[in-house]
Tab-separated table of all heavy atoms in Angstrom:
chain	number	residue	atom	x	y	z
A	58	VAL	N	-42.596	14.328	-43.563
A	58	VAL	CA	-41.430	14.870	-42.812
A	58	VAL	C	-41.991	15.585	-41.570
A	58	VAL	O	-41.370	15.375	-40.506
A	58	VAL	CB	-40.529	15.733	-43.703
A	58	VAL	CG1	-39.490	16.542	-42.903
A	58	VAL	CG2	-39.840	14.850	-44.716
A	59	VAL	N	-42.950	16.405	-41.706
A	59	VAL	CA	-43.481	17.206	-40.532
A	59	VAL	C	-44.039	16.108	-39.469
A	59	VAL	O	-43.702	16.270	-38.273
A	59	VAL	CB	-44.574	18.113	-40.964
A	59	VAL	CG1	-45.351	18.689	-39.703
A	59	VAL	CG2	-43.996	19.247	-41.688
A	62	LEU	N	-41.041	14.323	-37.866
A	62	LEU	CA	-40.254	15.151	-36.889
A	62	LEU	C	-41.119	15.459	-35.695
A	62	LEU	O	-40.511	15.496	-34.547
A	62	LEU	CB	-39.894	16.408	-37.642
A	62	LEU	CG	-38.841	16.255	-38.746
A	62	LEU	CD1	-38.579	17.576	-39.461
A	62	LEU	CD2	-37.526	15.689	-38.143
A	67	GLN	N	-39.075	16.740	-32.312
A	67	GLN	CA	-38.169	17.802	-32.709
A	67	GLN	C	-38.779	19.151	-32.690
A	67	GLN	O	-39.895	19.301	-32.993
A	67	GLN	CB	-37.603	17.455	-34.124
A	67	GLN	CG	-36.793	16.274	-34.279
A	67	GLN	CD	-35.457	16.457	-33.475
A	67	GLN	OE1	-34.648	17.300	-33.778
A	67	GLN	NE2	-35.288	15.602	-32.538
A	68	PRO	N	-37.993	20.158	-32.226
A	68	PRO	CA	-38.566	21.481	-32.016
A	68	PRO	C	-38.629	22.251	-33.432
A	68	PRO	O	-37.927	23.227	-33.723
A	68	PRO	CB	-37.538	22.147	-31.061
A	68	PRO	CG	-36.289	21.455	-31.387
A	68	PRO	CD	-36.578	20.087	-31.761
A	69	VAL	N	-39.483	21.726	-34.314
A	69	VAL	CA	-39.623	22.226	-35.641
A	69	VAL	C	-40.666	23.395	-35.691
A	69	VAL	O	-41.793	23.160	-35.141
A	69	VAL	CB	-40.021	21.139	-36.623
A	69	VAL	CG1	-40.199	21.718	-37.992
A	69	VAL	CG2	-38.839	20.114	-36.668
A	70	SER	N	-40.406	24.519	-36.230
A	70	SER	CA	-41.335	25.552	-36.401
A	70	SER	C	-41.727	25.816	-37.891
A	70	SER	O	-42.672	26.551	-38.166
A	70	SER	CB	-40.739	26.836	-35.888
A	70	SER	OG	-39.633	27.222	-36.475
A	71	GLY	N	-41.036	25.175	-38.784
A	71	GLY	CA	-41.321	25.347	-40.229
A	71	GLY	C	-40.635	24.330	-41.129
A	71	GLY	O	-39.534	23.904	-40.816
A	72	VAL	N	-41.366	23.942	-42.236
A	72	VAL	CA	-40.704	23.076	-43.145
A	72	VAL	C	-41.183	23.574	-44.544
A	72	VAL	O	-42.330	23.792	-44.739
A	72	VAL	CB	-41.204	21.601	-42.999
A	72	VAL	CG1	-40.715	20.694	-44.050
A	72	VAL	CG2	-40.711	21.003	-41.583
A	73	GLU	N	-40.143	23.641	-45.409
A	73	GLU	CA	-40.513	23.962	-46.898
A	73	GLU	C	-39.839	22.921	-47.673
A	73	GLU	O	-38.767	22.346	-47.364
A	73	GLU	CB	-39.871	25.275	-47.254
A	73	GLU	CG	-40.478	26.496	-46.661
A	73	GLU	CD	-39.798	27.792	-47.066
A	73	GLU	OE1	-39.356	27.825	-48.218
A	73	GLU	OE2	-39.806	28.667	-46.260
A	74	VAL	N	-40.391	22.592	-48.882
A	74	VAL	CA	-39.846	21.707	-49.800
A	74	VAL	C	-39.849	22.377	-51.179
A	74	VAL	O	-40.882	22.722	-51.654
A	74	VAL	CB	-40.547	20.353	-49.842
A	74	VAL	CG1	-39.916	19.421	-50.953
A	74	VAL	CG2	-40.642	19.704	-48.544
A	94	LEU	N	-35.180	19.983	-52.210
A	94	LEU	CA	-34.454	20.706	-51.075
A	94	LEU	C	-35.425	20.888	-49.969
A	94	LEU	O	-36.439	21.572	-50.111
A	94	LEU	CB	-33.908	22.003	-51.495
A	94	LEU	CG	-33.320	22.913	-50.449
A	94	LEU	CD1	-32.106	22.296	-49.727
A	94	LEU	CD2	-32.963	24.306	-50.929
A	95	TYR	N	-35.102	20.302	-48.802
A	95	TYR	CA	-35.941	20.433	-47.620
A	95	TYR	C	-35.315	21.514	-46.749
A	95	TYR	O	-34.160	21.479	-46.491
A	95	TYR	CB	-35.970	19.146	-46.826
A	95	TYR	CG	-36.628	17.979	-47.532
A	95	TYR	CD1	-35.824	17.161	-48.401
A	95	TYR	CD2	-37.897	17.633	-47.208
A	95	TYR	CE1	-36.475	16.103	-49.088
A	95	TYR	CE2	-38.499	16.562	-47.877
A	95	TYR	CZ	-37.749	15.770	-48.787
A	95	TYR	OH	-38.378	14.708	-49.398
A	96	ILE	N	-36.097	22.432	-46.373
A	96	ILE	CA	-35.645	23.527	-45.465
A	96	ILE	C	-36.404	23.431	-44.207
A	96	ILE	O	-37.650	23.528	-44.164
A	96	ILE	CB	-35.906	25.001	-46.110
A	96	ILE	CG1	-35.215	25.094	-47.480
A	96	ILE	CG2	-35.376	26.071	-45.121
A	96	ILE	CD1	-35.651	26.232	-48.268
A	97	VAL	N	-35.765	23.017	-43.105
A	97	VAL	CA	-36.388	22.837	-41.804
A	97	VAL	C	-35.932	23.984	-40.854
A	97	VAL	O	-34.766	24.185	-40.735
A	97	VAL	CB	-35.931	21.404	-41.238
A	97	VAL	CG1	-36.504	21.159	-39.862
A	97	VAL	CG2	-36.291	20.313	-42.236
A	98	ARG	N	-36.959	24.556	-40.288
A	98	ARG	CA	-36.635	25.589	-39.267
A	98	ARG	C	-37.005	25.191	-37.831
A	98	ARG	O	-37.982	24.490	-37.649
A	98	ARG	CB	-37.504	26.828	-39.612
A	98	ARG	CG	-37.040	27.585	-40.853
A	98	ARG	CD	-37.865	28.860	-41.114
A	98	ARG	NE	-37.545	29.347	-42.431
A	98	ARG	CZ	-38.091	28.867	-43.620
A	98	ARG	NH1	-38.934	27.872	-43.565
A	98	ARG	NH2	-37.723	29.391	-44.682
A	99	GLY	N	-36.158	25.597	-36.937
A	99	GLY	CA	-36.416	25.269	-35.550
A	99	GLY	C	-35.207	25.537	-34.602
A	99	GLY	O	-34.229	26.166	-35.122
A	100	ASN	N	-35.307	25.273	-33.426
A	100	ASN	CA	-34.264	25.537	-32.434
A	100	ASN	C	-33.630	24.182	-32.072
A	100	ASN	O	-34.269	23.453	-31.379
A	100	ASN	CB	-34.888	26.265	-31.207
A	100	ASN	CG	-33.866	26.739	-30.315
A	100	ASN	OD1	-32.609	26.808	-30.644
A	100	ASN	ND2	-34.240	27.078	-29.052
A	102	VAL	N	-32.636	21.597	-33.931
A	102	VAL	CA	-33.211	20.428	-34.598
A	102	VAL	C	-32.018	19.486	-34.978
A	102	VAL	O	-30.998	19.998	-35.463
A	102	VAL	CB	-33.936	20.749	-35.883
A	102	VAL	CG1	-34.415	19.589	-36.623
A	102	VAL	CG2	-35.115	21.711	-35.622
A	103	ASP	N	-32.201	18.193	-34.672
A	103	ASP	CA	-31.133	17.263	-34.872
A	103	ASP	C	-31.020	16.859	-36.316
A	103	ASP	O	-31.950	16.265	-36.887
A	103	ASP	CB	-31.470	15.948	-33.964
A	103	ASP	CG	-30.409	14.857	-34.178
A	103	ASP	OD1	-29.170	15.164	-34.069
A	103	ASP	OD2	-30.831	13.745	-34.475
A	106	THR	N	-31.961	13.230	-37.279
A	106	THR	CA	-33.372	12.984	-37.315
A	106	THR	C	-34.069	13.518	-38.523
A	106	THR	O	-34.895	12.850	-39.069
A	106	THR	CB	-34.017	13.574	-36.049
A	106	THR	OG1	-33.288	13.058	-34.806
A	106	THR	CG2	-35.462	13.268	-35.922
A	107	VAL	N	-33.524	14.630	-39.050
A	107	VAL	CA	-34.065	15.243	-40.244
A	107	VAL	C	-33.694	14.243	-41.405
A	107	VAL	O	-34.645	13.939	-42.263
A	107	VAL	CB	-33.537	16.663	-40.523
A	107	VAL	CG1	-33.878	17.072	-41.909
A	107	VAL	CG2	-34.034	17.601	-39.436
A	108	GLU	N	-32.511	13.827	-41.469
A	108	GLU	CA	-32.064	12.818	-42.535
A	108	GLU	C	-32.902	11.595	-42.530
A	108	GLU	O	-33.343	11.090	-43.564
A	108	GLU	CB	-30.569	12.430	-42.315
A	108	GLU	CG	-29.619	13.602	-42.745
A	108	GLU	CD	-28.171	13.181	-42.527
A	108	GLU	OE1	-27.896	11.968	-42.430
A	108	GLU	OE2	-27.362	14.078	-42.384
A	110	ALA	N	-36.064	11.241	-41.268
A	110	ALA	CA	-37.413	11.600	-41.663
A	110	ALA	C	-37.516	11.713	-43.194
A	110	ALA	O	-38.447	11.111	-43.740
A	110	ALA	CB	-37.817	12.912	-40.978
A	111	ILE	N	-36.564	12.318	-43.813
A	111	ILE	CA	-36.528	12.407	-45.229
A	111	ILE	C	-36.483	11.120	-45.906
A	111	ILE	O	-37.185	10.726	-46.837
A	111	ILE	CB	-35.463	13.359	-45.766
A	111	ILE	CG1	-35.744	14.808	-45.278
A	111	ILE	CG2	-35.295	13.262	-47.232
A	111	ILE	CD1	-34.562	15.796	-45.466
A	135	SER	N	-31.645	16.990	-50.651
A	135	SER	CA	-30.731	17.594	-49.749
A	135	SER	C	-31.577	18.376	-48.706
A	135	SER	O	-32.763	18.575	-48.906
A	135	SER	CB	-29.708	18.560	-50.375
A	135	SER	OG	-30.363	19.535	-51.120
A	136	TYR	N	-30.893	18.831	-47.659
A	136	TYR	CA	-31.748	19.579	-46.647
A	136	TYR	C	-30.847	20.640	-46.042
A	136	TYR	O	-29.553	20.644	-46.154
A	136	TYR	CB	-32.239	18.707	-45.592
A	136	TYR	CG	-31.230	18.086	-44.583
A	136	TYR	CD1	-30.866	18.751	-43.446
A	136	TYR	CD2	-30.540	16.928	-44.897
A	136	TYR	CE1	-29.881	18.280	-42.627
A	136	TYR	CE2	-29.630	16.356	-44.109
A	136	TYR	CZ	-29.360	17.038	-42.975
A	136	TYR	OH	-28.335	16.507	-42.158
A	137	ARG	N	-31.466	21.633	-45.461
A	137	ARG	CA	-30.807	22.691	-44.789
A	137	ARG	C	-31.665	22.990	-43.514
A	137	ARG	O	-32.843	23.047	-43.592
A	137	ARG	CB	-30.734	23.925	-45.684
A	137	ARG	CG	-30.169	25.167	-45.005
A	137	ARG	CD	-30.022	26.321	-46.035
A	137	ARG	NE	-31.255	26.978	-46.290
A	137	ARG	CZ	-31.813	27.263	-47.520
A	137	ARG	NH1	-31.140	26.955	-48.556
A	137	ARG	NH2	-32.962	27.878	-47.623
A	138	ILE	N	-30.907	23.084	-42.342
A	138	ILE	CA	-31.618	23.460	-41.117
A	138	ILE	C	-31.296	24.909	-40.869
A	138	ILE	O	-30.157	25.324	-40.862
A	138	ILE	CB	-31.198	22.476	-39.990
A	138	ILE	CG1	-31.467	21.088	-40.241
A	138	ILE	CG2	-31.774	23.002	-38.703
A	138	ILE	CD1	-31.001	20.072	-39.264
A	139	GLU	N	-32.412	25.662	-40.613
A	139	GLU	CA	-32.254	27.057	-40.268
A	139	GLU	C	-32.629	27.285	-38.757
A	139	GLU	O	-33.741	26.991	-38.416
A	139	GLU	CB	-33.122	27.984	-41.126
A	139	GLU	CG	-32.646	27.886	-42.612
A	139	GLU	CD	-33.539	28.796	-43.505
A	139	GLU	OE1	-34.603	29.356	-43.050
A	139	GLU	OE2	-33.152	28.871	-44.736
A	140	GLN	N	-31.640	27.647	-38.008
A	140	GLN	CA	-31.884	27.839	-36.553
A	140	GLN	C	-32.646	29.096	-36.337
A	140	GLN	O	-32.535	30.084	-37.014
A	140	GLN	CB	-30.515	28.018	-35.791
A	140	GLN	CG	-29.648	26.724	-35.893
A	140	GLN	CD	-30.221	25.569	-35.204
A	140	GLN	OE1	-30.940	25.604	-34.161
A	140	GLN	NE2	-30.094	24.365	-35.774
A	141	GLU	N	-33.591	28.991	-35.337
A	141	GLU	CA	-34.395	30.186	-34.981
A	141	GLU	C	-33.909	30.578	-33.601
A	141	GLU	O	-33.498	29.953	-32.806
A	141	GLU	CB	-35.806	29.854	-35.014
A	141	GLU	CG	-36.287	29.546	-36.444
A	141	GLU	CD	-37.785	29.560	-36.581
A	141	GLU	OE1	-38.526	29.374	-35.547
A	141	GLU	OE2	-38.276	29.796	-37.693
Side-chain angles (χ1 to χ4, degrees):
V58 168
V59 168
L62 291 175
Q67 290 297 299
V69 176
S70 60
V72 172
E73 292 179 33
V74 179
L94 171 62
Y95 296 81
I96 303 165
V97 178
R98 290 183 189 83
N100 187 15
V102 176
D103 178 48
T106 304
V107 171
E108 287 177 21
I111 292 168
S135 59
Y136 71 92
R137 178 174 75 229
I138 298 173
E139 295 181 353
Q140 296 296 325
E141 292 194 338

